[in-house]
Amino acid sequence: MKRIIDDDLIVSCLAGEADNGELEELAKEMAGSDEVTQDFLAIKNVWDAAVSPQTISSIDVNGSLRKTLNEIRERDEAGLSFKRRALKFIVRFAAVMSLPLLLLSGYLYFNNNALRPQHVAVTHDVKAMPGSLVHTLLPDSTEVWMNGGTTLRYHQEGESRRDVTIEGEAYFKVAKDAVHPFVVTTPSSLHIEAVGTEFNICSYPSDSLTSVTLTEGAVRVDDNSWESAMAPDQTIVYNSNQKKGVLYLGNTEKIVSWKEGNLAFHNEMLKNVYKRIGQIFDVQFDVDKRLQNVILYATFENASLDQILSLIQKSTPLIYSISEDSEDGTSKKRIKVIAG
């Protein structure tokens, strides 16, 4: 009749917490009875399903085996010879311990990628402060000029599509790559796709109008429901409220003159002039209704905000009143324009 061993003893041995006497007791029982061994294996199956790889790896298999064999050698009084008992125990002990070690090896193998440092996709932001002009080079060698108050966000990596987003105004000189399209997305969800060309985009988040001006090559413009192909010297003005764009021939030289540090206004209503200045310098203008339709002809070369306002004031009957407004916790200059 087999001897019934304590479950707690088996768990202690599996966890590596048993002392020499307990290990000896378990080893003797297993060496002398196949039924005891079967009991041990049944409990161990439950242990294997719950034990963590860290616990398995902490068990000193060789140390426990050496201690147990020493105890068996010193106290061998049974009918079986020491060699036979030791060999029988070793075979069973190895069979018992091989499964958790195999599981640990498999765990480490299949999680090897998780243990290695993973490459995390990084999104980069480039910003042009109000009133500034920034020229930058993207990883694919595309050149970008950014007007004041503009944010460019890009993620370009490996053999993939070249995607960027823009808030503000930027001029792109796209590096040629027919396999990987260069796609710009605006705040109005307009997509401009090119493979190697030059174009200008003006799309500030506060404005419902987005303009795209092509200077060289070809681009395709779409909003997922409407699309248009463009040729050089054409401009598309897209209205995000109406979900519609209008294509026409534009004054390309005037439109892109800002990237040389110039602002050109030819036959522009004063309200539109202040709107553009406000976008570039991050200033809010309140224009007297009596002045809104006044026509302005002017070109400002590398001029500051104060210089531009002063020059406009000299050519039109107006007065400025400047104050500070707080929006979303930030201070923003507010300029009231009234008839003088």
Side-chain angles (χ1 to χ4, degrees), residues 50-316:
V51 71
S52 68
Q54 290 79 9
T55 302
I56 293 174
S57 62
S58 68
I59 301 175
D60 185 0
V61 178
N62 293 331
S64 299
L65 179 59
R66 283 195 300 271
K67 290 179 182 179
T68 303
L69 291 178
N70 287 336
E71 290 293 327
I72 294 174
R73 183 184 295 110
E74 293 172 0
R75 303 184 184 186
D76 181 29
E77 298 175 355
L80 292 174
S81 67
F82 168 76
K83 290 183 179 180
R84 289 181 61 195
R85 292 187 61 194
L87 178 60
K88 186 175 181 179
F89 172 76
I90 289 171
V91 171
R92 288 176 177 168
F93 193 84
V96 168
M97 297 309 298
S98 63
L99 182 57
L101 294 177
L102 181 61
L103 292 174
L104 176 60
S105 299
Y107 175 85
L108 295 177
Y109 175 79
F110 287 110
N111 288 274
N112 189 40
N113 289 334
L115 297 176
R116 293 177 182 172
Q118 298 295 310
H119 183 78
V120 179
V122 178
T123 300
H124 302 275
D125 285 358
V126 182
K127 296 184 178 182
M129 299 302 292
S132 67
L133 178 62
V134 172
H135 179 214
T136 189
L137 189 68
L138 300 184
D140 68 338
S141 297
T142 291
E143 289 186 81
V144 186
W145 287 260
M146 299 166 57
N147 210 343
T150 298
T151 298
L152 172 72
R153 181 171 291 112
Y154 69 90
H155 167 60
Q156 296 182 3
E157 180 180 328
E159 299 296 320
S160 63
R161 179 166 150 150
R162 301 174 288 170
D163 293 314
V164 303
T165 59
I166 187 75
E167 293 183 0
E169 184 169 27
Y171 184 90
F172 293 88
K173 186 177 182 180
V174 179
K176 288 180 170 53
D177 186 343
V179 177
H180 305 106
F182 187 94
V183 180
V184 183
T185 301
T186 71
S188 58
S189 298
L190 197 65
H191 309 290
I192 299 90
E193 181 176 314
V195 294
T197 186
E198 297 186 32
F199 56 93
N200 189 86
I201 298 176
C202 185
S203 184
Y204 287 87
S206 59
D207 197 351
S208 61
L209 299 180
T210 294
S211 67
V212 181
T213 300
L214 183 63
T215 60
E216 182 181 310
V219 297
R220 185 178 64 85
V221 180
D222 76 85
D223 69 350
N224 296 322
S225 61
W226 167 90
E227 69 174 59
S228 178
M230 296 181 65
D233 297 325
Q234 288 183 334
T235 293
I236 281 181
V237 176
Y238 175 79
N239 190 318
S240 60
N241 293 331
Q242 299 177 359
K243 301 296 181 183
K244 182 180 179 182
V246 177
L247 181 66
Y248 65 94
L249 287 174
N251 188 337
T252 304
E253 184 177 349
K254 179 180 80 71
I255 292 173
V256 303
S257 63
W258 65 266
K259 79 183 187 72
E260 306 300 332
N262 303 324
L263 278 179
F265 301 102
H266 299 164
N267 196 32
E268 292 278 359
M269 288 187 292
L270 201 57
K271 64 179 181 180
N272 293 333
V273 172
Y274 283 124
K275 175 184 175 181
R276 180 155 173 74
I277 294 173
Q279 291 173 334
I280 296 172
F281 290 92
D282 194 26
V283 175
Q284 178 66 47
F285 283 95
D286 294 325
V287 184
D288 191 320
K289 290 183 179 180
R290 293 172 293 176
L291 298 172
Q292 288 184 353
N293 295 328
V294 172
I295 300 300
L296 181 71
Y297 288 85
T299 298
F300 305 100
E301 298 181 2
N302 299 307
S304 66
L305 175 62
D306 290 339
Q307 290 172 329
I308 292 173
L309 296 181
S310 178
L311 290 170
I312 294 176
Q313 188 176 32
K314 289 178 181 179
S315 60
T316 56

